[in-house]
Amino acid sequence: MYLIKIAGLGFIHSAWEDQEPRFCSTLSAARGWPTLEEALRFGNNHLSSRLPIGWELWKEANDDLVPVIRPQAGKQ
């Protein structure tokens, strides 16, 4: 499972909406993606063009979070 984190805001919330973005600090409320491609597509389509701050991609493995990509810079 892949998760996206925004520095200072937290993880993308499972109830994310483009018009009203939501973030969370707990993994139980975070949105997850089953594949790397799906997580990257979301980050590039919904975050990179809208956020001036970077986003990070994490993988949940064996009850641990492992960084995959840190940070992905948004366009300014």
Side-chain angles (χ1 to χ4, degrees), residues 5-42:
K5 185 176 183 181
I6 310 295
L9 297 175
F11 292 96
I12 299 295
H13 195 282
S14 60
W16 170 278
E17 292 184 22
D18 285 343
Q19 301 81 7
E20 203 170 316
R22 294 182 64 189
F23 303 93
C24 61
S25 58
T26 61
L27 297 182
S28 61
R31 179 174 176 181
W33 290 266
T35 68
L36 175 62
E37 291 79 17
E38 289 174 318
L40 287 173
R41 187 178 310 118
F42 179 90

